[in-house]
Amino acid sequence: MNATEMALAVRKQFGDGDEIRDAGLTTPDDVERFDGIIYGDVDKNWQSLDVYRPKNKKGKLPVIVSIHGGGWVYGDKERYQFYTMSLAQRGFAVVNFSYRLAPEYIYPASFEDCSAVCTWMQANAEKYGFDMDHVFGVGDSAGAHMLSVFAGALTSDKPVPYKLPENFSFKAIALNCGVYDFANHDLGSTEGLMEALFGKVPDEEDYDEITAVNYVTEKYPPCFIMTCPGDFLFHAPEVLVKALKENKVPFFYHVYGNAEKPLAHVFHVNMKEAEGKVCNDDECAFFARFC
């Protein structure tokens, strides 16, 4: 199976699962939403975002930016709307955006879009009530990987092939079920997705550039890191935790579920999963510590 075939297979499999996950869900009555805002100038079909706010909160709010998962080849803001609206219900403004996916757009397109969203937020902070002194990030699976690298690029001197937003920083981030080190290239089924991401078989330099632990310094933002026993990336956070400890970066690492209820990869985006609610409560409480 080549990279394009794998991407299409992932889209079919994940899409079917997400349809079941979100069946019957609707916009909560206590959330105000602003949909379909174009933030980029390359492809408006991909570079689009939604803003959600709790209806009972006025003025500037701390803001959460969500980077969705999907193996770098799948997903959009529609698939993440119910999860991210639940974060708005916890007292935050939320930016839920789609980004350009591989293989149609190869690296660093998705990271360019992360930067473009942050620049858009700065330009529109007054309009949507963003407290830009209290910006937080959440990322899930591939989105956790992207956020972990992007946050590192903002706080280290390691060069990247995309323009970073000026005077932008995260107060804290939450990394959910991600992968943070490609040094060993023991990627299993992920290897084909890497070919889709880069448009070629990645070399050592490519892997180095997207390995989050290479960006961790003492300036890296405080982290909430989570996984569960049923996650196929269960051991992935260990190398990141080690790097955070070595650089004295504040973090909280939590494993949800147990042997009897192992949960599954990105269980927290399922609004029908009780443990997901607990996880999302914990992450927003972690962010509140920095407000």
Side-chain angles (χ1 to χ4, degrees):
M1 184 181 295
N2 62 35
T4 298
E5 291 170 339
M6 174 168 284
L8 293 175
V10 167
R11 290 175 185 177
K12 177 67 167 63
Q13 178 185 353
F14 288 11
D16 290 347
D18 287 351
E19 288 287 345
I20 296 170
R21 181 196 69 194
D22 294 341
L25 298 180
T26 58
T27 297
D29 291 337
D30 56 352
V31 171
E32 181 179 23
R33 54 188 298 167
F34 306 88
D35 295 345
I37 303 164
I38 305 302
Y39 67 83
D41 57 7
V42 178
D43 190 333
K44 66 180 181 180
N45 292 319
W46 301 74
Q47 295 173 311
S48 177
L49 62 82
D50 296 347
V51 175
Y52 311 132
R53 288 179 55 96
K55 287 183 178 178
N56 63 346
K57 301 279 188 180
K58 304 301 180 184
K60 287 189 176 182
L61 294 175
V63 55
I64 297 174
V65 185
S66 169
I67 306 181
H68 70 74
W72 307 276
V73 302
Y74 166 81
D76 55 33
K77 63 185 180 65
E78 279 68 39
R79 296 298 190 186
Y80 260 59
Q81 60 180 315
F82 300 111
Y83 161 60
T84 49
M85 282 191 289
S86 80
L87 302 181
Q89 288 179 296
R90 291 169 167 86
F92 295 83
V94 179
V95 176
N96 169 31
F97 72 100
S98 301
Y99 53 85
R100 288 172 291 163
L101 300 174
E104 289 87 349
Y105 289 96
I106 62 173
Y107 175 84
S110 55
F111 286 86
E112 291 172 345
D113 290 352
C114 291
S115 286
V117 166
C118 296
T119 300
W120 178 91
M121 289 172 58
Q122 291 171 316
N124 291 274
E126 290 297 324
K127 181 176 182 179
Y128 293 101
F130 301 149
D131 179 356
M132 295 303 293
D133 291 326
H134 297 91
V135 179
F136 303 95
V138 295
D140 312 307
S141 192
H145 161 253
M146 290 170 59
L147 177 58
S148 66
V149 173
F150 185 65
L154 289 167
T155 53
S156 75
D157 296 327
K158 186 174 173 62
V160 292
Y162 45 92
K163 183 179 179 181
L164 293 168
E166 297 180 3
N167 302 314
F168 181 93
S169 63
F170 290 108
K171 293 292 286 187
I173 59 176
L175 303 173
N176 306 310
C177 301
V179 57
Y180 312 104
D181 182 10
F182 293 92
N184 297 319
H185 305 177
D186 184 18
L187 306 175
S189 61
T190 306
E191 191 166 2
L193 296 177
M194 290 292 96
E195 292 185 29
L197 179 63
F198 284 99
K200 62 170 185 168
V201 176
D203 57 27
E204 294 292 330
E205 185 176 339
D206 295 326
Y207 281 122
D208 176 78
E209 199 165 278
I210 63 165
T211 289
V213 294
N214 294 339
Y215 293 83
V216 176
T217 71
E218 70 280 358
K219 296 180 181 179
Y220 201 81
C223 293
F224 187 108
I225 307 162
M226 78 82 168
T227 186
C228 61
D231 185 6
F232 66 93
L233 295 173
F234 178 66
H235 294 289
E238 294 170 2
V239 66
L240 177 61
V241 167
K242 181 175 182 290
L244 295 174
K245 286 181 178 178
E246 290 173 348
N247 287 277
K248 297 181 171 56
V249 177
F251 71 92
F252 181 80
Y253 176 42
H254 191 73
V255 176
Y256 291 87
N258 50 45
E260 289 71 35
K261 188 177 181 181
L263 301 173
H265 187 65
V266 298
F267 66 92
H268 67 295
V269 302
N270 184 351
M271 295 298 94
K272 301 166 187 174
E273 173 57 69
E275 285 294 323
K277 180 181 184 301
V278 173
C279 174
N280 296 330
D281 284 342
D282 290 346
E283 292 192 354
C284 287
F286 180 78
F287 290 160
R289 291 167 48 188
F290 299 93
C291 290

